[in-house]
Amino acid sequence: MAFEDPSADVLGQAAETFGLLASPPRLHIVWALAQGESDVTGLAERVGGALPAVSQHLTKLKLAGLVRSRREGRRQVYFVDDPDVVDVVRLAVGRLTERAERAGLAAGAERPAVRLRGL
């Protein structure tokens, strides 16, 4: 079965998306938003980052079209509006989590939960 190569434009867009998601803090934010919408304060608490840093990451994700927001009173509520981005993030993180759990079980060691740093 032969597959047709994607266009240079599509490959460029995919590389830009993966480049944005290559940052652990941004990936954590998208992962959190894939589970449900949140404001910046809730996200900062969940991902363990400083409010200004999380806000900057959200701005980059929003400019790239990976995240959207809406106003609820005085709050800005963020969400991932693209089901394909949610699928890719859930698949990648889920598979890596399963692999880490299998490796931990095989070694007989429990691994502590790791918070993402660098926010």
Side-chain angles (χ1 to χ4, degrees):
M1 174 182 249
F3 291 99
E4 189 174 316
D5 288 339
S7 70
D9 187 47
V10 168
L11 289 171
Q13 290 175 9
E16 286 177 23
T17 298
F18 286 125
L20 279 167
L21 295 176
S23 159
R26 283 193 292 272
L27 182 59
H28 197 176
I29 289 167
V30 173
W31 170 262
L33 290 175
Q35 313 311 309
E37 55 190 37
S38 178
D39 65 5
V40 68
T41 303
L43 282 169
E45 290 172 4
R46 179 162 181 186
V47 303
L51 205 60
V54 171
S55 183
Q56 282 184 340
H57 287 302
L58 283 166
T59 298
K60 288 181 182 180
L61 292 167
K62 194 173 175 182
L63 287 172
L66 297 178
V67 167
R68 291 188 37 205
S69 67
R70 72 172 181 283
R71 185 155 298 283
E72 281 187 4
R74 296 177 60 182
R75 297 180 336 141
Q76 220 31 35
V77 177
Y78 294 88
F79 56 97
V80 179
D81 193 36
D82 186 339
D84 294 332
V85 170
V86 171
D87 288 346
V88 167
V89 169
R90 284 183 176 162
L91 178 66
V93 172
R95 293 273 171 89
L96 290 169
T97 299
E98 289 170 7
R99 187 180 302 164
E101 288 171 352
R102 281 195 307 272
L105 291 176
E110 292 230 5
R111 294 182 184 188
V114 177
R115 281 207 94 109
L116 295 176
R117 302 278 185 238
L119 285 176

